[in-house]
Amino acid sequence: MNPTNPFTIGLDKNPANYVPLSPLTFIERSAAVHPHHVAVVDGTHRYTWAESFARCKRLASALQRLGIQEGNTVSIMAHNCHEMFEAHFGIPVLGAVIHAINTRLDASNIAFMLDHAASKVLIADREFSSVIREALDQMKGPKPLVVDIDSPQATSGDRIGEMTYEDLLASGTIDFPWTPPRDEWQAIALGYTSGTTGNPKGVVTHHRGAYLNAISNLLAWDMPRHSVYLWTLPMFHCNGWCFPWTLAAISGTNVCLRKVDTEKIYELIEKEGVTHYCGAPIVHNWMVGASPDLRSKKQHKVQGMVAAAPPPAALLASMEENNFQITHVYGLTETYGPAVVCEPHKEWEKLPIGNKARMNARQGVRYHMLEALIVADPETLEPVPADGETIGEILFKGNNVMMGYFKNPEATENAFRGGWFHSGDLGVMHPDGYIQIRDRSKDIIISGGENISSIEVQDVLYMHPAIQAAGVVACPDTKWGETPCAFIELKPGNESLTAADVISFCREHMATFKVPKHVVFGELPKTSTGKIQKFKLREMAKEHAV
């Protein structure tokens, strides 16, 4: 502060003009302004905003009575459900940290996370009782108190906790004072990266970043009040990309989907009047590949948001033909989920659908609340030319970048070197200022000294009408060093497609040196969010090394 500046003398922060930012204030407003509007639809459960807020206050009160306080971790392992939604408010209002666990993890990973986070309480759907019991047995430190979500929608599992979630809520009070943490830098969530080697890193995010990214979601997507959002994206993934808090800001309706099921998706879209949903490219692929009878159930335009692996232009074009308007976003766990959006331009509407899809397939420009986004040399930090060709690392800077990695100062320092967050993603900057990913640094294929983008090859493969999903990785080669190896999942009824057919198709659409030398058919390994697990493909590709 400059002591000679007249506008800083006697004009200080005070309770009337400064309140720390927290997305927990959104639910309080919705409960007051739209108390009777439906907030959550979960199977036979329907809760208004007033009812949801009351349940969140009971959860906070009950956890406080169990001794949960500022700086404690409360873990939750559940499908998309009203309990998971409530946890995103009732846990952090205490100054505690919500740790949402990937539902596909094995016991050893869960045990590591519970130990590393020093979880005091674990709320878990009884469907996961078997793996939870095994994880608790493997823990090295104190075990958390277990609370069962005894969901009627669970198809398996038994109760292993000391109480049920509803019992927990019953022990709390609706009179709990709703006062978010005093410091907006207070941690709100802990999310673990899907480590492919060694233990995963714990990403710590804060109230300020969650508030700003939740609002950025609204701006990036032009979401109106009372939007109806279908939870195809797991709420455990980057805290649902901050959408639990986004929906609270606009008094929207959360339509919970326990598991991704194409028939159920189309049913809920029509039944609940769904206006928005998010998902990885594979989810959109399943939807556009549904039968004509199923697709015909949808009678209105629906806004879709796609992220994870860069979506093929062919997929975006197919979705538009099916009356889905797709917005492409990009981000990482370390950036609260999406932090970059391919913001459309009016002139793109005049382009042929294929050309428009290729423009929309780029990652785009920074979110409204992200301060800076560049593609640069990772060592010198010199931005690359905006020529759409020169490859550099994608770097972020802003309030919606993580606090750091939990109990891992070395990894934190490395991620923030030079005052930027280093994503590890390689991309280019186009002349219009839009960035486009070319690959993860470890996914670039170097063949005979030439760099080959696996994503570029995948984009061509997705153009083939018989291909449902594709993943391209490097295959060791004694002559070239590496060559592209394509793993392909076919659409039903296209089993006659051969490797020779695929190679011939690729030769028509790309330089010869980029054409896959090996083509392998079969179901692709995927994460719970639909992202193709390339580290597994790389191991599989070694079988084809020459």
Side-chain angles (χ1 to χ4, degrees):
M1 184 180 294
N2 184 352
T4 64
N5 184 344
F7 289 98
T8 64
I9 301 173
L11 302 176
D12 300 321
K13 291 178 184 176
N14 64 72
N17 66 20
Y18 174 77
V19 178
L21 301 181
S22 172
L24 305 183
T25 59
F26 299 152
I27 191 171
E28 187 176 29
R29 181 183 185 277
S30 282
V33 179
H34 300 287
H36 306 301
H37 190 80
V38 175
V40 182
V41 176
D42 181 13
T44 58
H45 296 288
R46 300 181 82 89
Y47 296 114
T48 65
W49 278 106
E51 292 168 335
S52 285
F53 186 42
R55 289 175 62 84
C56 291
K57 288 192 287 185
R58 286 189 182 277
L59 174 60
S61 172
L63 289 173
Q64 189 177 63
R65 290 179 178 184
L66 289 175
I68 298 302
Q69 57 188 346
E70 183 176 311
N72 290 160
T73 303
V74 177
S75 300
I76 179 168
M77 186 169 178
H79 293 294
N80 292 338
C81 57
H82 65 273
E83 294 92 346
M84 178 69 101
F85 176 75
E86 291 156 10
H88 277 81
F89 297 88
I91 294 170
V93 76
L94 296 171
V97 177
I98 177 173
H99 164 222
I101 303 174
N102 186 325
T103 59
R104 288 191 178 181
L105 290 179
D106 59 23
S108 61
N109 268 288
I110 296 170
F112 166 80
M113 292 176 184
L114 294 176
D115 272 326
H116 189 257
S119 297
K120 300 291 186 183
V121 174
L122 169 60
I123 301 169
D125 192 306
R126 67 177 172 85
E127 188 170 308
F128 306 117
S129 59
S130 178
V131 70
I132 289 294
R133 186 184 286 112
E134 189 179 344
L136 293 172
D137 288 341
Q138 292 182 26
M139 285 185 66
K140 298 174 182 177
K143 293 176 174 54
L145 181 147
V146 178
V147 177
D148 293 311
I149 297 176
D150 193 13
S151 172
Q153 299 182 69
T155 56
S156 61
D158 51 9
R159 285 166 51 178
I160 62 173
E162 297 186 33
M163 67 185 81
T164 68
Y165 183 85
E166 292 304 320
D167 290 339
L168 176 66
L169 259 61
S171 70
T173 174
I174 196 173
D175 297 323
F176 176 83
W178 196 257
T179 308
R182 301 179 303 277
D183 187 356
E184 61 187 20
W185 185 254
Q186 171 73 39
I188 192 171
L190 173 65
Y192 285 84
T193 60
S194 51
T196 58
T197 57
N199 290 319
K201 297 191 291 288
V203 175
V204 183
T205 53
H206 52 58
H207 284 251
R208 178 180 177 85
Y211 180 104
L212 294 172
N213 227 49
I215 297 300
S216 278
N217 283 337
L218 297 177
L219 298 172
W221 219 0
D222 291 331
M223 290 185 79
R225 184 187 305 115
H226 299 326
S227 294
V228 181
Y229 181 88
L230 177 63
W231 277 103
T232 48
L233 172 78
M235 264 189 249
F236 67 70
H237 184 54
C238 305
N239 301 103
W241 297 353
C242 293
F243 273 97
W245 303 309
T246 295
L247 269 292
I250 55 171
S251 308
T253 299
N254 296 268
V255 180
C256 296
L257 183 66
R258 192 172 178 86
K259 297 176 183 176
V260 174
D261 178 283
T262 309
E263 187 169 347
K264 190 69 174 176
I265 288 173
Y266 277 101
E267 176 189 323
L268 288 172
I269 285 176
E270 193 56 32
K271 179 182 176 183
E272 301 296 341
V274 169
T275 59
H276 296 76
Y277 74 99
C278 297
I282 191 65
V283 175
H284 298 270
N285 242 331
W286 290 332
M287 292 173 66
V288 80
S291 68
D293 288 345
L294 196 54
R295 295 201 307 270
S296 67
K297 290 185 177 182
K298 183 176 69 66
Q299 299 297 314
H300 60 279
K301 178 172 279 191
V302 177
Q303 303 288 330
M305 186 174 276
V306 62
L315 169 62
L316 297 179
S318 296
M319 292 299 288
E320 183 169 342
E321 290 169 354
N322 199 30
N323 204 24
F324 286 96
Q325 187 170 331
I326 305 299
T327 298
H328 181 202
V329 293
Y330 158 66
L332 304 93
T333 305
E334 291 88 341
T335 62
Y336 297 72
V340 177
V341 59
C342 190
E343 195 162 309
H345 288 240
K346 283 187 177 180
E347 53 267 31
W348 295 359
E349 293 297 322
K350 301 175 183 177
L351 297 173
I353 192 167
N355 291 350
K356 181 167 67 172
R358 277 189 285 276
M359 298 294 280
N360 284 322
R362 301 180 301 170
Q363 277 56 52
V365 295
R366 61 190 172 96
Y367 249 29
H368 297 76
M369 305 299 179
L370 183 69
E371 300 308 314
L373 174 73
I374 61 172
V375 179
D377 182 297
E379 301 305 324
T380 67
L381 304 182
E382 185 68 28
V384 301
D387 56 10
E389 296 291 337
T390 307
I391 293 177
E393 186 179 13
I394 299 172
L395 308 179
F396 295 79
K397 182 181 293 188
N399 293 292
N400 42 357
V401 171
M402 66 169 180
M403 297 170 72
Y405 296 115
F406 190 49
K407 300 177 183 176
N408 197 337
E410 183 179 347
T412 300
E413 184 179 352
N414 183 55
F416 290 148
R417 62 190 186 277
W420 291 85
F421 168 63
H422 291 248
S423 70
D425 286 328
L426 302 180
V428 297
M429 178 70 75
H430 286 278
D432 61 357
Y434 280 56
I435 68 166
Q436 185 169 14
I437 290 179
R438 284 292 185 244
D439 240 321
R440 290 291 294 176
S441 56
K442 59 180 176 290
D443 289 338
I444 282 284
I445 302 166
I446 305 174
S447 184
E450 296 283 354
N451 286 352
I452 301 172
S453 164
S454 66
I455 292 173
E456 181 183 351
V457 181
Q458 286 164 195
D459 275 347
V460 170
L461 291 171
Y462 274 105
M463 291 167 58
H464 196 291
I467 293 176
Q468 173 87 12
V472 176
V473 296
C475 178
D477 188 282
T478 53
K479 181 178 180 180
W480 300 105
E482 295 176 336
T483 54
C485 180
F487 291 85
I488 290 172
E489 195 172 302
L490 295 172
K491 294 178 181 177
N494 291 277
E495 290 76 15
S496 61
L497 188 71
T498 67
D501 295 334
V502 172
I503 290 171
S504 176
F505 179 82
C506 289
R507 282 178 176 155
E508 295 175 7
H509 294 88
M510 67 177 70
T512 303
F513 76 92
K514 299 180 181 180
V515 173
K517 188 172 182 178
H518 308 281
V519 178
V520 182
F521 295 100
E523 186 175 355
L524 304 185
K526 305 179 188 74
T527 67
S528 55
T529 58
K531 184 186 294 186
I532 295 169
Q533 294 175 307
K534 283 199 168 183
F535 72 97
K536 291 187 178 180
L537 296 184
R538 281 192 286 273
E539 286 301 310
M540 295 162 63
K542 292 177 182 178
E543 300 174 11
H544 303 275
V546 294

